[in-house]
Amino acid sequence: MKLAALPMRCFQGVIPAVIATCDTDGIPNVTYLSQVHYVDGDRIALSCQFFNKTKKNVQANRYASVELYDPQSIDMYRMRVRYDHAETEGALFDVMSRRIDAIASHTGMTGIFKLLSADVYEVLEIEKVEGFLEPLPPDMVLDDPPAYRSELHGLQLVSQRASKATDLDSLLSNVLEALEQAYGFEHSMVLLCDEVAPRLYSVASRGYGEGGVGAEVAIGDGLIGTVARERCLLRVAGVGADLRYGRAIRASVHRAGQGRALTPEIPLPGLVEAQSQLALPLVAGDRLVGVLAVESKKPAAFEEWHEAYLEIIAAQVALAIESIVRRGREAEATEPTLTLEPAPASRASAVPCARVRKFVFYPSDDCMFVDDEYLVRNVPGKILWRLLTAFRANGRTDFTNRELRLDASLGLPAVRDNLESRLVLLRKRLEQKCPDLALVSIGRGQFRLEIGCAFELEERASEAG
Amino acid sequence: MATIPADIVDTLEAGVSIIIGTRDAANIPEVARAAGAAVSRDRTELTIYLHETWGAKALANLRENGDIAVGFQRPYDNFAIQMKGKCTRFVEASEGDRSVVDRYHATFGEQMYMVGFPRSITKRFVFWPAVAVTFTVRDIFVQTPGPGAGRRLEAGGVVPTGPVVTVR
């Protein structure tokens, strides 16, 4: 049988592969492999993270035997392979290295756990191991992922939804909804780049409940942060297996007394029980706009064809985001400036509501709490504080994007700020955590703060104080 | 000769994943998987069970030269060790051995279930009929991934504690 005849999902690492080698004295060695990479119809590459007995053996006696599993059918394949060479740079090395970097970063081991080389082996022979599995009972239905043969229709659907959107919020929520309808992606999120710090924040999500919006990831951290840093697509199947492997190394590093080099493990934004992840950069021209990430609880949910379609969608979404933001700004520039009169009858004291909500702002980390519960932080936190204090001072309820952009206290950069996405995030957090306040659009680049409760404002030096 | 530390015997016999390395006369390696393991009373010998059909090549190699490497790995935390030695006895597994293999099958299914494998899959693995292959343990190495992998195992304090899988 030929290497190319193996299902590609065998190379996703869902079930760890095994390698047996042998030294020149005939002493065998057997161990698990963390990554088996399909190079071409005749070759595979194995990841080498530590200079170990396997590596020593194949440098002396080049033959090895590899066992690989199909994660769906659990069929077992044995390959006779011959070590050819090791690559320490180049495209193959980079592809294999990124996946390891993502796990290393996630488990707080950047620089400790890394790819030393991509070891290329010629495949001499492959056999499917017969007799390892009982035949499937005739009445058993295999949990096959549905074969989407209507991928183009899916693209068309996503494209239509994206082009109909008039603002950032509807663009992103329409696209995520269409991805679920067309491709069955139930858990997805879009994170955009923070323009003032090297991090991303999620501004739209689907299938994550309340926690989805506002999650933050530092550039370079975990799968999403790695995708942002490298600006390349990354797909990880068998997330559980990768993390267990990473944590085992982490524990070994601790036992070896090198624990000080470790940094805390980063909680993943997204599903706790995710088994497959696929993340891809949103790039418009030479600019990284953000990251689109999809997850699944199934171990091998995403395949190669998903990547191809998602790359097209990501390119379109990135351009659509840029276009909506640009159009919004052009419209703002031509709008007459609002006359900032106090709005009638909207003072908090006049609101007929028995409830009094307490907003506390911590300027040390730009964090806003409502009734002792975390609401929002960073730029959206500062914006909300500014709106509430303006209302308290002179009863203003109507604001323009333009005045926020020009307000130095918000710390937005002079060009290419992400104000629209901050307002989307703030609007969603208010819907979830404080529906008594709402930001309602009243025309291009203008919005109204609607207040349905009485409130108190307090600024505190630090959380402890 | 090495003695298997008493504190890892339960782990070795509790359904952890067991992988085998053998080689033929030309030093061509062959990977396989075992269907259970039993530690001798004096802890100097290990018996592993190899399936007659899908372990046939490994069995032929072992009958020819006896050189074996056996890797044990606990799926949920990757705690792993490797033993090496020379096989001395090959016995068609008896009904008495069958209880060892059946218990292995059940506990292995539970170990795999803990890392997300449906029991409906592990139940389909065919572990019987098997051949009992016994070897004298010459070396034991730590194989948990990380900087310590590959060093010789010393008795005491090497097994991270964790849930013990038992099946009635």
Side-chain angles (χ1 to χ4, degrees):
Chain A
M1 122 176 243
K2 298 262 186 227
L3 182 59
L6 286 190
M8 287 308 283
R9 55 180 178 264
C10 296
F11 299 94
Q12 293 188 359
V14 177
I15 305 178
V18 183
I19 185 168
T21 56
C22 165
D23 68 15
T24 46
D25 294 329
I27 306 294
N29 193 78
V30 65
T31 188
Y32 280 95
L33 288 166
S34 69
Q35 247 191 92
V36 179
H37 186 87
Y38 177 89
V39 177
D40 56 35
D42 302 308
R43 297 180 302 166
I44 55 170
L46 309 181
S47 59
C48 175
Q49 288 91 262
F50 301 98
F51 186 77
N52 54 21
K53 186 73 180 158
T54 297
K55 187 67 186 264
K56 275 181 210 156
N57 282 356
V58 296
Q59 283 176 336
N61 167 22
R62 297 193 297 146
Y63 292 92
S65 171
V66 172
E67 197 173 87
L68 199 62
Y69 294 85
D70 181 333
Q72 200 176 308
S73 66
I74 320 297
D75 285 330
M76 188 204 278
Y77 297 91
R78 273 190 209 133
M79 290 186 215
R80 183 154 299 171
V81 298
R82 185 166 55 204
Y83 174 65
D84 193 74
H85 69 280
E87 295 187 13
T88 54
E89 56 177 19
L92 174 67
F93 180 85
D94 289 346
V95 167
M96 295 182 72
S97 176
R98 276 183 212 123
R99 175 167 158 181
I100 287 171
D101 286 352
I103 296 300
S105 151
H106 177 76
T107 48
M109 290 191 296
T110 300
I112 298 171
F113 170 42
K114 59 179 188 239
L115 187 68
L116 293 182
S117 61
D119 294 351
V120 179
Y121 290 72
E122 268 176 274
V123 177
L124 307 173
E125 198 186 320
I126 306 177
E127 58 156 341
K128 183 176 162 188
V129 179
E130 300 293 346
F132 172 63
L133 284 176
E134 297 273 12
L136 271 180
D139 54 341
M140 184 164 168
V141 182
L142 265 185
D143 187 21
D144 279 342
Y148 288 101
R149 287 295 155 246
S150 52
E151 298 93 344
L152 275 177
H153 175 70
L155 268 190
Q156 185 189 23
L157 180 73
V158 177
S159 174
Q160 280 172 349
R161 298 280 175 82
S163 61
K164 275 186 192 156
T166 52
D167 59 54
L168 191 63
D169 190 13
S170 63
L171 168 72
L172 299 179
S173 49
N174 287 355
V175 166
L176 296 186
E177 187 187 58
L179 281 176
E180 178 167 355
Q181 287 173 2
Y183 299 110
F185 298 155
E186 291 172 23
H187 306 283
S188 58
M189 64 167 86
V190 174
L191 301 97
L192 296 180
C193 295
D194 191 323
E195 65 283 41
V196 291
R199 65 181 168 227
L200 302 144
Y201 55 95
S202 72
V203 69
S205 77
R206 192 167 174 86
Y208 293 104
E210 280 195 0
V213 167
E216 293 184 1
V217 190
I219 303 274
D221 278 354
L223 177 89
I224 290 169
T226 304
V227 163
R229 189 188 64 206
E230 301 289 328
R231 294 193 183 192
C232 67
L233 177 151
L234 208 49
R235 171 164 55 113
V236 183
V239 175
D242 272 352
L243 288 182
R244 279 192 302 279
Y245 185 77
R247 284 174 186 144
I249 295 171
R250 187 182 166 89
S252 295
V253 170
H254 257 301
R255 281 195 296 274
Q258 299 159 12
R260 261 180 294 175
L262 298 170
T263 50
E265 179 164 326
I266 303 151
L268 280 176
L271 292 178
V272 176
E273 66 274 52
Q275 285 295 320
S276 309
Q277 295 176 315
L278 175 58
L280 60 175
L282 301 172
V283 179
D286 61 350
R287 202 170 91 86
L288 178 73
V289 178
V291 171
L292 168 64
V294 291
E295 289 186 300
S296 172
K297 294 175 190 174
K298 293 179 189 164
F302 307 122
E303 298 185 35
E304 287 202 306
W305 69 266
H306 286 130
E307 295 181 1
Y309 283 89
L310 279 175
E311 282 194 337
I312 299 170
I313 289 165
Q316 195 176 8
V317 169
L319 289 173
I321 292 172
E322 289 270 283
S323 156
I324 279 184
V325 170
R326 193 179 55 243
R327 272 187 285 152
R329 256 172 244 171
E330 283 165 7
E332 273 173 36
T334 58
E335 287 289 331
T337 314
L338 276 182
T339 41
L340 300 171
E341 294 291 319
S346 57
R347 281 186 177 276
S349 55
V351 174
C353 178
R355 188 165 184 193
V356 181
R357 304 205 72 155
K358 180 162 187 177
F359 293 92
V360 178
F361 182 62
Y362 296 94
S364 56
D365 54 0
D366 300 323
C367 217
M368 180 75 104
F369 279 66
V370 58
D371 299 336
D372 295 326
E373 198 186 344
Y374 169 71
L375 177 60
V376 72
R377 65 189 292 174
N378 291 332
V379 176
K382 284 196 274 191
I383 292 174
L384 181 60
W385 182 247
R386 187 190 184 282
L387 301 181
L388 289 173
T389 48
F391 175 81
R392 176 55 40 91
N394 54 30
R396 268 186 70 194
T397 55
D398 295 356
F399 300 87
T400 68
N401 289 6
R402 194 173 160 76
E403 64 171 300
L404 295 181
R405 275 186 222 292
L406 297 173
D407 184 341
S409 73
L410 296 179
L412 291 164
V415 287
R416 291 202 184 279
D417 63 65
N418 267 345
L419 179 65
E420 288 81 359
S421 64
R422 310 312 189 144
L423 291 172
V424 169
L425 174 54
L426 178 55
R427 195 170 281 138
K428 287 190 179 167
R429 291 294 296 175
L430 287 173
E431 278 168 19
Q432 289 168 0
K433 296 288 176 193
C434 184
D436 296 327
L437 296 189
L439 300 183
V440 181
S441 174
I442 50 168
R444 273 208 183 279
Q446 302 168 27
F447 62 91
R448 178 167 294 153
L449 175 64
E450 290 189 351
I451 302 170
C453 63
F455 65 85
E456 292 171 12
L457 296 179
E458 187 190 335
E459 191 169 325
R460 279 189 206 160
S462 74
E463 211 163 317
Chain B
M1 214 175 74
T3 303
I4 299 169
D7 57 353
I8 68 170
V9 173
D10 284 349
T11 301
L12 302 184
E13 294 181 345
V16 295
S17 180
I18 310 174
I19 53 179
I20 309 288
T22 68
R23 54 98 184 173
D24 67 11
N27 279 354
I28 306 292
E30 175 77 11
V31 63
R33 185 168 278 279
V39 177
S40 69
R41 210 170 276 245
D42 67 358
R43 305 197 309 272
T44 61
E45 284 187 336
L46 186 76
T47 298
I48 52 138
Y49 295 87
L50 276 175
H51 191 264
E52 284 176 355
T53 311
W54 54 264
K57 175 68 183 158
L59 266 175
N61 285 348
L62 291 173
R63 285 197 160 108
E64 187 183 86
N65 58 57
D67 282 319
I68 190 167
V70 182
F72 294 85
Q73 188 224 30
R74 189 161 54 189
Y76 70 86
D77 65 354
N78 285 301
F79 164 71
I81 62 160
Q82 184 174 202
M83 295 187 193
K84 296 191 180 184
K86 209 153 182 102
C87 299
T88 50
R89 286 201 305 281
F90 300 85
V91 181
E92 198 161 312
S94 63
E95 277 306 306
D97 292 311
R98 173 138 202 179
S99 65
V100 178
V101 173
D102 285 350
R103 197 183 57 182
Y104 176 77
H105 196 163
T107 47
F108 179 63
E110 294 308 299
Q111 293 267 8
M112 295 305 286
Y113 182 73
M114 284 164 74
V115 296
F117 256 77
R119 294 182 178 109
S120 59
I121 288 177
T122 44
K123 271 191 185 135
R124 288 178 56 216
F125 292 175
V126 178
F127 285 157
W128 189 261
V131 175
V133 178
T134 303
F135 68 98
T136 306
V137 179
R138 186 179 59 235
D139 287 305
I140 310 176
F141 301 96
V142 175
Q143 198 113 33
T144 306
R151 70 181 159 77
R152 256 173 237 281
L153 179 75
E154 288 138 30
V158 292
V159 188
T161 51
V164 174
V165 175
T166 51
V167 172
R168 282 193 297 164

